[in-house]
Amino acid sequence: MSAVKRFPGNPILSAKDIPYDASLIFNAGVCKYNGKYIMTFRNDYGSTEQDWRDPQSPRKGHLETNIGIAYSDDGLHWTAGAKPVFAMRDSEILRAYDPRLTVIEGRVAMCFAVDTRHGLRGGIALTDDFENFEIMSLSAPDNRNMVLFPEKIGGKYVRLERPFPVYSRGGGEHFDVWISNSPDLRYWGGTKLLLAGETVPFANAKLGPAAPPVKTKAGWLTTFHAVAFVEEELYAWHPEWHKRYMAGIMLLDLEDPSVIKGISRQPLLFPETDYERRGFRGDVIFPGGMILEDDGEVKIYYGASDTVECLATANVDDLIALCEPPVNG
C-alpha cells in the first residue's frame, strides 16, 4: 500500500551481521526499553542454501535454532550482540523461536513458540536484562504466534494467539486469530474468536497475530499475518513451496479489544522485492514488531522470505484510515 514505505536500507539485519553461526535471521520482536531499541530475533543455523540443494551434503535439511539480540539507537541501524540470549532444549523441548517483545509494567515480556515432542506450545517469559528470563507460562498444544497488549485492560493481561486445530476443522491450514486474558500472565482463559480466516478476502488459509498491538487515540492498532495457497511453485530452498504470506492490519476497541472497529480489505504489505520473494521460503512477509514514535511515525519490523529482517514505515493516521468498519459491523 502507498501508505507504507519500505526502508531503503533493507534488510536491516541478516546472517552476515551476526558474529556467531547464523544462516537465517527473521521473525524478530522489537521494543524500546531503557532508552534503546532492542530486537530479539530468530536465528536458524547449521546449513546453507547450497547444502539444501546438494543431495550429497550431510547438512541438507538440517537447521538448529536460537534467539539472538541486537541493539539500535535509531531503530534503523542495528548491532548484534556477541552471543544468543535465549534457547530451550531438553528431553521434551526441541527449540524456542519467533520472539515477540512487549514492555509492560516496566518489564519486557517475550512471547515465543516452543516445539516439543508432543506438540507446539506458546510461551511467555519476563526479563529485565535479556540475560535472565522467568518463564511465566507455556500453553497446551497446539498454540503459537502469541502477542501481548502493552497494558492491562479491564484489570487483566490480554493476548492474541493462534491455536491451530486440524481434526475439528477438517484438515488443512484454516486457522484464525483468537483473544484471551489472564490475571497474572500464568493462567489464561476467557478465550474468544477475534478474526476468522474466511472474513479476510486476501487469504484462503491460515491467519495469525503478527506484531504486538500499539495504543492509538482510535483504538489498538495491530498487524496480523495472512496466508494464501497459490498454484504456482514459489522460490524456496526446498521444493513444493506454495504459500504466500502477507501482512494485514486492523483496529481493535480500546476498552474491549475483542471488538474489531476496522480492518483493511487489502494487504498492508505484499511480497514485492527480491529480498521478500527469494530466500529460504519466498513470498513471505511476517511482521513481528511495531513501534509508534512520538511524531506519529510507525516502524513495522518484519521477517522477509524467512531469511532476513526488514523495516517499513508509515504514519499512524494513515494506518488507522486503512481500517474500514467490518462488513458485518
Side-chain angles (χ1 to χ4, degrees):
M1 286 186 177
S2 59
V4 181
K5 297 180 180 179
R6 289 167 171 81
F7 178 54
N10 277 343
I12 58 171
L13 200 69
S14 59
K16 65 179 176 55
D17 303 313
I18 311 304
Y20 47 89
D21 194 4
S23 297
L24 308 169
I25 305 299
F26 62 112
N27 288 7
V30 181
C31 69
K32 292 176 76 171
Y33 187 64
N34 290 341
K36 273 192 172 291
Y37 294 83
I38 297 178
M39 174 191 297
T40 54
F41 55 85
R42 172 176 172 171
N43 170 36
D44 285 6
Y45 64 97
S47 61
T48 65
E49 182 172 5
Q50 183 177 355
D51 292 321
W52 281 67
R53 297 191 184 282
D54 181 0
Q56 304 303 318
S57 172
R59 287 155 52 111
K60 177 180 173 64
H62 177 76
L63 286 169
E64 300 287 341
T65 303
N66 55 39
I67 292 175
I69 193 167
Y71 306 92
S72 175
D73 292 324
D74 58 9
L76 307 176
H77 306 93
W78 295 83
T79 301
K83 60 183 180 179
V85 294
F86 190 83
M88 295 178 71
R89 190 176 182 98
D90 57 26
S91 59
E92 170 64 14
I93 295 175
L94 304 177
R95 62 173 182 166
Y97 57 99
D98 287 359
R100 308 282 182 261
L101 299 181
T102 301
V103 178
I104 185 167
E105 299 173 337
R107 306 188 74 189
V108 179
M110 185 175 78
C111 299
F112 55 94
V114 182
D115 285 348
T116 80
R117 298 188 186 280
H118 297 88
L120 202 163
R121 307 174 70 183
I124 300 174
L126 291 177
T127 185
D128 301 301
D129 55 13
F130 293 92
E131 294 180 3
N132 303 287
F133 292 85
E134 179 185 3
I135 306 298
M136 301 301 293
S137 65
L138 289 173
S139 73
D142 283 302
N143 202 347
R144 64 176 298 189
N145 298 134
M146 295 176 177
V147 298
L148 281 173
F149 287 72
E151 63 184 60
K152 288 182 177 178
I153 303 172
K156 293 184 178 181
Y157 300 97
V158 183
R159 77 182 182 194
L160 305 180
E161 58 196 6
R162 203 282 306 283
F164 43 116
V166 175
Y167 178 80
S168 63
R169 294 294 297 270
E173 295 188 340
H174 300 285
F175 312 133
D176 316 291
V177 180
W178 294 69
I179 187 168
S180 296
N181 60 59
S182 170
D184 56 7
L185 293 178
R186 295 184 183 275
Y187 300 99
W188 291 86
T191 305
K192 297 180 182 179
L193 176 66
L194 177 66
L195 181 63
E198 66 271 15
T199 66
V200 176
F202 51 90
N204 61 16
K206 59 187 176 182
L207 307 176
V214 297
K215 191 176 187 179
T216 76
K217 62 189 181 215
W220 294 102
L221 193 65
T222 187
T223 54
F224 59 92
H225 70 272
V227 180
F229 282 95
V230 296
E231 291 186 5
E232 69 266 29
E233 185 170 343
L234 304 173
Y235 187 95
W237 292 8
H238 58 81
E240 296 300 317
W241 178 244
H242 295 271
K243 290 189 283 188
R244 176 174 289 127
Y245 281 67
M246 298 155 285
I249 193 161
M250 60 183 170
L251 191 69
L252 309 178
D253 187 81
L254 284 176
E255 296 183 1
D256 182 1
S258 68
V259 174
I260 298 175
K261 293 183 64 177
I263 186 168
S264 174
R265 292 173 172 73
Q266 301 294 327
L268 179 69
L269 279 168
F270 184 92
E272 296 176 356
T273 68
D274 187 65
Y275 54 80
E276 294 163 352
R277 302 208 65 196
R278 296 175 66 87
F280 178 66
R281 289 173 175 154
D283 276 53
V284 171
I285 285 177
F286 202 119
M290 186 161 60
I291 303 291
L292 174 57
E293 304 288 12
D294 292 339
D295 63 0
E297 181 188 62
V298 179
K299 292 183 172 71
I300 303 169
Y301 297 89
Y302 65 97
S305 65
D306 283 1
T307 304
V308 294
E309 188 66 21
C310 299
L311 170 65
T313 60
N315 179 272
V316 64
D317 291 331
D318 292 340
L319 294 180
I320 292 170
L322 294 175
C323 299
E324 303 175 32
V327 173
N328 60 356

